[in-house]
Amino acid sequence: MQLSNTLKSGTDSEHKTFKTVELVQGLAVGQKAPMFVAVDQSGETFDLKEALKIGPVVIIFYRGQWCPICNSHLAELNENLESIYEKGAQVVAISPETSEFLKRTAKKTHAAFSLLHDEDYKIAEGFDVSFLPGLLARTMFNTVLRANLKEAHSDDSQRLPIPATFVIGQNGKVAWRHFDPDYKKRSSVADIIKALDNL
């Protein structure tokens, strides 16, 4: 089994090795979430540490505006935002895509919550959801789905996050997660609300 993908950087010609999907585990329930600050589609700054002072935070990692399953998932969450807000929680969705592409996601999904740019994949790495798809998958994403990963991200490595969901309690720990390497399987609103009820 291949456990890493080596990518030749187009900028410095160095060979860099990134995790394959098999090596990515995601933060476990009970682990401390890394605190982060990121900019959303409107240029506003989101600070996880400050947000947790108000209430729990639901964090969704998604692949990008080119992914129809991601768009469907985010649209479903948006339609049920009030149910989540009633539990005192905030919702943010995180992608390696830059502002221009975050705005495309917002337009496609009508997301009324923050879509955050994960610059240099630092947030995804902190949550252990970042991986490098194989060459065939990257080619398919860029040609068939027109992902333009090198253009849309902050570097040309073309890494992606597992589309995972984490509920972070006010203690800063992961209270619940949905983590599945199968990108077709996503968290449900009902499960998120149940997790918030159990805090």
Side-chain angles (χ1 to χ4, degrees):
M1 178 185 294
Q2 186 182 11
L3 295 180
S4 65
N5 284 328
T6 300
L7 187 74
K8 188 174 182 180
S9 169
T11 53
D12 57 16
S13 297
E14 291 181 354
H15 285 81
K16 297 180 180 179
T17 301
F18 302 112
K19 288 182 178 180
T20 58
V21 69
E22 293 88 357
L23 273 184
V24 178
Q25 299 294 317
L27 283 187
V29 171
Q31 285 189 290
K32 274 279 189 182
M35 296 297 109
F36 63 82
V37 177
V39 177
D40 72 10
Q41 73 271 29
S42 302
E44 300 294 323
T45 298
F46 175 85
D47 185 325
L48 179 59
K49 185 176 181 181
E50 292 302 312
L52 288 171
K53 293 178 181 178
I54 301 169
V57 177
V58 179
I59 296 174
I60 294 109
F61 286 92
Y62 73 100
R63 304 193 298 174
Q65 57 83 28
W66 53 270
C67 172
I69 297 176
C70 296
N71 291 334
S72 177
H73 186 223
L74 295 180
E76 181 185 1
L77 285 165
N78 192 64
E79 290 171 2
N80 293 276
L81 266 185
E82 284 305 315
S83 299
I84 296 173
Y85 288 166
E86 285 172 4
K87 305 299 178 183
Q90 297 182 59
V91 177
V92 295
I94 301 172
S95 162
E97 293 189 322
T98 56
S99 177
E100 173 192 345
F101 298 91
L102 295 179
K103 289 175 182 175
R104 293 184 192 180
T105 298
K107 187 174 181 180
K108 290 179 179 180
T109 64
H110 305 289
F113 48 88
S114 292
L115 305 174
L116 304 178
H117 168 49
D118 185 6
E119 188 173 3
D120 298 327
Y121 313 90
K122 290 177 181 176
I123 305 172
E125 287 181 349
F127 280 81
D128 193 22
V129 297
S130 177
F131 74 101
L132 178 64
L135 178 59
L136 186 62
R138 297 198 306 270
T139 302
M140 190 270 286
F141 296 154
N142 288 320
T143 56
V144 178
L145 295 174
R146 299 183 180 182
N148 299 319
L149 298 178
K150 290 184 180 182
E151 176 191 347
H153 296 183
S154 54
D155 72 11
D156 63 1
S157 69
Q158 304 186 74
R159 281 172 283 168
L160 290 173
I162 295 281
T165 300
F166 296 89
V167 172
I168 312 300
Q170 288 191 268
N171 61 0
K173 294 181 179 180
V174 177
W176 177 87
R177 75 172 197 169
H178 179 276
F179 179 91
D180 195 317
D182 183 347
Y183 68 91
K184 296 176 183 177
K185 296 177 180 177
R186 305 298 175 103
S187 58
S188 71
V189 173
D191 284 343
I192 291 171
I193 290 172
K194 184 178 179 181
L196 292 170
D197 281 336
N198 290 332
L199 288 177

